[in-house]
PDB file of all heavy atoms in Angstrom:
ATOM      1  N   GLY J 218      63.676 138.334 118.401  1.00  0.00           N
ATOM      2  CA  GLY J 218      63.229 138.864 119.698  1.00  0.00           C
ATOM      3  C   GLY J 218      63.743 140.265 119.945  1.00  0.00           C
ATOM      4  O   GLY J 218      64.712 140.692 119.260  1.00  0.00           O
ATOM      5  N   ASN J 219      63.190 141.008 120.868  1.00  0.00           N
ATOM      6  CA  ASN J 219      63.534 142.393 121.129  1.00  0.00           C
ATOM      7  C   ASN J 219      64.613 142.452 122.216  1.00  0.00           C
ATOM      8  O   ASN J 219      65.029 141.467 122.795  1.00  0.00           O
ATOM      9  CB  ASN J 219      62.343 143.178 121.526  1.00  0.00           C
ATOM     10  CG  ASN J 219      61.768 142.766 122.868  1.00  0.00           C
ATOM     11  OD1 ASN J 219      61.293 141.675 123.019  1.00  0.00           O
ATOM     12  ND2 ASN J 219      61.809 143.619 123.864  1.00  0.00           N
ATOM     13  N   THR J 220      65.011 143.667 122.517  1.00  0.00           N
ATOM     14  CA  THR J 220      65.932 143.940 123.626  1.00  0.00           C
ATOM     15  C   THR J 220      65.115 144.789 124.658  1.00  0.00           C
ATOM     16  O   THR J 220      64.257 145.565 124.290  1.00  0.00           O
ATOM     17  CB  THR J 220      67.121 144.784 123.113  1.00  0.00           C
ATOM     18  OG1 THR J 220      67.817 143.984 122.158  1.00  0.00           O
ATOM     19  CG2 THR J 220      68.061 145.090 124.289  1.00  0.00           C
ATOM     20  N   THR J 221      65.396 144.533 125.932  1.00  0.00           N
ATOM     21  CA  THR J 221      64.779 145.255 127.030  1.00  0.00           C
ATOM     22  C   THR J 221      65.838 145.951 127.875  1.00  0.00           C
ATOM     23  O   THR J 221      66.809 145.231 128.250  1.00  0.00           O
ATOM     24  CB  THR J 221      63.923 144.434 127.919  1.00  0.00           C
ATOM     25  OG1 THR J 221      63.168 143.521 127.100  1.00  0.00           O
ATOM     26  CG2 THR J 221      62.919 145.280 128.712  1.00  0.00           C
ATOM     27  N   VAL J 222      65.719 147.201 128.132  1.00  0.00           N
ATOM     28  CA  VAL J 222      66.626 147.973 128.939  1.00  0.00           C
ATOM     29  C   VAL J 222      66.018 148.342 130.213  1.00  0.00           C
ATOM     30  O   VAL J 222      64.862 148.890 130.243  1.00  0.00           O
ATOM     31  CB  VAL J 222      67.209 149.243 128.230  1.00  0.00           C
ATOM     32  CG1 VAL J 222      68.073 150.028 129.130  1.00  0.00           C
ATOM     33  CG2 VAL J 222      67.929 148.789 126.941  1.00  0.00           C
ATOM     34  N   TYR J 223      66.636 148.064 131.303  1.00  0.00           N
ATOM     35  CA  TYR J 223      66.163 148.488 132.648  1.00  0.00           C
ATOM     36  C   TYR J 223      67.149 149.515 133.189  1.00  0.00           C
ATOM     37  O   TYR J 223      68.330 149.309 133.252  1.00  0.00           O
ATOM     38  CB  TYR J 223      66.085 147.226 133.629  1.00  0.00           C
ATOM     39  CG  TYR J 223      64.907 146.313 133.334  1.00  0.00           C
ATOM     40  CD1 TYR J 223      64.965 145.446 132.295  1.00  0.00           C
ATOM     41  CD2 TYR J 223      63.755 146.347 134.146  1.00  0.00           C
ATOM     42  CE1 TYR J 223      63.897 144.577 132.031  1.00  0.00           C
ATOM     43  CE2 TYR J 223      62.661 145.554 133.817  1.00  0.00           C
ATOM     44  CZ  TYR J 223      62.756 144.643 132.755  1.00  0.00           C
ATOM     45  OH  TYR J 223      61.701 143.825 132.566  1.00  0.00           O
ATOM     46  N   ILE J 224      66.614 150.665 133.564  1.00  0.00           N
ATOM     47  CA  ILE J 224      67.402 151.739 134.112  1.00  0.00           C
ATOM     48  C   ILE J 224      67.038 152.019 135.563  1.00  0.00           C
ATOM     49  O   ILE J 224      65.907 152.162 135.928  1.00  0.00           O
ATOM     50  CB  ILE J 224      67.121 153.023 133.308  1.00  0.00           C
ATOM     51  CG1 ILE J 224      67.480 152.831 131.803  1.00  0.00           C
ATOM     52  CG2 ILE J 224      67.991 154.206 133.868  1.00  0.00           C
ATOM     53  CD1 ILE J 224      67.222 153.989 130.900  1.00  0.00           C
ATOM     54  N   PHE J 225      68.109 151.967 136.376  1.00  0.00           N
ATOM     55  CA  PHE J 225      67.983 152.175 137.811  1.00  0.00           C
ATOM     56  C   PHE J 225      68.543 153.556 138.149  1.00  0.00           C
ATOM     57  O   PHE J 225      69.674 153.865 137.750  1.00  0.00           O
ATOM     58  CB  PHE J 225      68.754 151.101 138.541  1.00  0.00           C
ATOM     59  CG  PHE J 225      68.331 149.685 138.247  1.00  0.00           C
ATOM     60  CD1 PHE J 225      68.702 149.114 137.053  1.00  0.00           C
ATOM     61  CD2 PHE J 225      67.592 148.962 139.115  1.00  0.00           C
ATOM     62  CE1 PHE J 225      68.277 147.841 136.750  1.00  0.00           C
ATOM     63  CE2 PHE J 225      67.156 147.667 138.884  1.00  0.00           C
ATOM     64  CZ  PHE J 225      67.530 147.047 137.634  1.00  0.00           C
ATOM     65  N   GLY J 226      67.727 154.402 138.769  1.00  0.00           N
ATOM     66  CA  GLY J 226      68.159 155.721 139.066  1.00  0.00           C
ATOM     67  C   GLY J 226      67.768 156.654 137.958  1.00  0.00           C
ATOM     68  O   GLY J 226      66.844 156.368 137.202  1.00  0.00           O
ATOM     69  N   ASN J 227      68.429 157.788 137.886  1.00  0.00           N
ATOM     70  CA  ASN J 227      68.037 158.888 136.992  1.00  0.00           C
ATOM     71  C   ASN J 227      68.565 158.669 135.566  1.00  0.00           C
ATOM     72  O   ASN J 227      69.801 158.783 135.349  1.00  0.00           O
ATOM     73  CB  ASN J 227      68.486 160.243 137.549  1.00  0.00           C
ATOM     74  CG  ASN J 227      67.848 161.419 136.780  1.00  0.00           C
ATOM     75  OD1 ASN J 227      67.339 161.189 135.722  1.00  0.00           O
ATOM     76  ND2 ASN J 227      67.828 162.510 137.411  1.00  0.00           N
ATOM     77  N   ALA J 228      67.705 158.446 134.598  1.00  0.00           N
ATOM     78  CA  ALA J 228      68.113 158.169 133.290  1.00  0.00           C
ATOM     79  C   ALA J 228      68.762 159.436 132.621  1.00  0.00           C
ATOM     80  O   ALA J 228      69.618 159.379 131.763  1.00  0.00           O
ATOM     81  CB  ALA J 228      66.892 157.778 132.372  1.00  0.00           C
ATOM     82  N   ASP J 229      68.382 160.623 133.151  1.00  0.00           N
ATOM     83  CA  ASP J 229      68.922 161.883 132.633  1.00  0.00           C
ATOM     84  C   ASP J 229      70.419 161.951 132.862  1.00  0.00           C
ATOM     85  O   ASP J 229      71.194 162.721 132.248  1.00  0.00           O
ATOM     86  CB  ASP J 229      68.269 163.114 133.313  1.00  0.00           C
ATOM     87  CG  ASP J 229      66.788 163.212 132.961  1.00  0.00           C
ATOM     88  OD1 ASP J 229      66.439 162.523 132.027  1.00  0.00           O
ATOM     89  OD2 ASP J 229      66.083 163.868 133.680  1.00  0.00           O
TER      90      ASP J 229
END
Side-chain angles (χ1 to χ4, degrees):
Chain J
N219 67 296
T220 299
T221 318
V222 174
Y223 286 76
I224 300 175
F225 303 74
N227 192 340
D229 296 343

